[in-house]
Amino acid sequence: MHITQLNRECLLHLFSFLDKNSRKSLGKTCHNLLEVFQDPLLWSLLNFHSPAELKKDNFLLGPALKYLSICWYSERVKVCNIEDWMKNNFQKDFCNRHENTVSDFLLEVCNRCPNLLSLTLSGCGHVTDDCILLLLKNCPNLKTLKLENCVRITDQTLEAVTHYGGSLQTLHVDFCRNITQTGLEKVREKCPLVMLRAERSANMIPDNKPQKKVMLEKALRKVVQL
């Protein structure tokens, strides 16, 4: 029996065991398998392991997407975590190559995936509060939001959760150093049913621009003198 003689349900089941590249390759072999590759039911879950994968054409993005994960665990993530004003030219050049990659992709998700239920971002150091705000607005059914080591995420995201995260059940903001205890308390107060976790976030040292650091040092000197 040839694979193309299987019914659509069986083919979708077989495709579900393949990674994105293998699905794309198999879809190129004949028209029938290409139709299976393009079936929205095959793309309810997407996992990416680097920003570079987001630019490939080996997947479909549409209303069927329910679960999305972009987790980058490379050592290069450390470069993205450096404060912008502390980066040297080499580090700036490295970040410029992919600075908007994840954010642009998430904007596409906002426009094309209104039924998203779960989003996990790890090591996405250039994702901003504005991006998460738009996602919360455009994906009203979002139940799980997990942010790990996303250094540009601040209390503005927590504030957005209290306004637009009506369906949210789980919120993780682990290793997000610009999250504060005050922001976390507001979420606990306004969204008591949300399972909130903030491992190594509010206790970390937040980013401060150089002029702010100087002001803090002067204030400390005055306190010491008094």
Side-chain angles (χ1 to χ4, degrees):
M1 186 177 186
H2 195 271
I3 185 174
T4 56
Q5 293 178 294
L6 296 172
N7 61 36
R8 188 61 162 261
E9 185 177 354
C10 288
L11 288 173
L12 283 170
H13 185 65
L14 289 175
F15 265 75
S16 69
F17 290 98
L18 304 177
D19 60 32
K20 294 187 288 294
N21 285 332
S22 298
R23 292 178 184 182
K24 181 70 174 181
S25 298
L26 187 56
K28 289 181 177 180
T29 58
C30 73
H31 180 72
N32 288 341
L33 294 180
L34 179 60
E35 287 186 346
V36 177
F37 173 81
Q38 295 173 339
D39 193 319
L41 294 177
L42 188 62
W43 304 102
S44 62
L45 182 151
L46 283 173
N47 293 315
F48 299 94
H49 304 289
S50 76
E53 292 184 14
L54 302 176
K55 296 183 177 181
K56 295 183 178 180
D57 62 347
N58 58 1
F59 62 91
L60 294 183
L61 198 63
L65 182 63
K66 300 289 183 63
Y67 307 94
L68 173 62
S69 172
I70 306 173
C71 296
W72 195 25
Y73 296 116
S74 168
E75 285 291 314
R76 297 177 180 180
V77 172
K78 293 180 180 179
V79 177
C80 301
N81 287 347
I82 299 172
E83 293 95 324
D84 290 338
W85 57 87
M86 293 182 64
K87 291 176 182 174
N88 58 39
N89 290 333
F90 173 79
Q91 293 165 334
K92 289 178 181 178
D93 180 64
F94 171 76
C95 288
N96 286 339
R97 298 175 194 171
H98 65 269
E99 184 171 8
N100 298 316
T101 301
V102 178
S103 295
D104 289 347
F105 182 81
L106 290 178
L107 289 179
E108 287 294 314
V109 172
C110 290
N111 294 327
R112 299 164 61 181
C113 310
N115 301 311
L116 189 69
L117 297 178
S118 175
L119 172 65
T120 299
L121 301 177
S122 181
C124 300
H126 298 293
V127 172
T128 63
D129 295 313
D130 290 339
C131 190
I132 301 300
L133 170 62
L134 284 175
L135 192 133
L136 288 168
K137 285 183 175 180
N138 288 277
C139 302
N141 299 319
L142 192 69
K143 297 182 182 300
T144 299
L145 177 60
K146 296 181 179 180
L147 306 174
E148 178 187 68
N149 205 12
C150 298
V151 295
R152 293 194 182 185
I153 296 302
T154 71
D155 286 356
Q156 291 183 35
T157 287
L158 300 181
E159 184 70 20
V161 165
T162 64
H163 290 292
Y164 305 105
S167 299
L168 210 61
Q169 298 175 355
T170 300
L171 174 63
H172 292 179
V173 283
D174 299 334
F175 295 89
C176 297
R177 65 173 179 253
N178 289 300
I179 293 292
T180 70
Q181 194 64 46
T182 300
L184 294 172
E185 289 302 326
K186 286 183 179 179
V187 174
R188 293 190 178 99
E189 177 186 348
K190 296 182 178 181
C191 307
L193 299 181
V194 172
M195 295 180 61
L196 177 61
R197 192 179 80 183
E199 184 178 347
R200 303 281 184 91
S201 290
N203 295 326
M204 298 180 76
I205 300 175
D207 296 345
N208 288 302
K209 292 185 178 181
Q211 58 267 30
K212 289 185 178 180
K213 290 182 179 180
V214 171
M215 292 175 65
L216 285 172
E217 288 175 358
K218 289 182 178 179
L220 286 173
R221 291 195 193 102
K222 289 182 179 180
V223 171
V224 171
Q225 290 173 357
L226 293 174

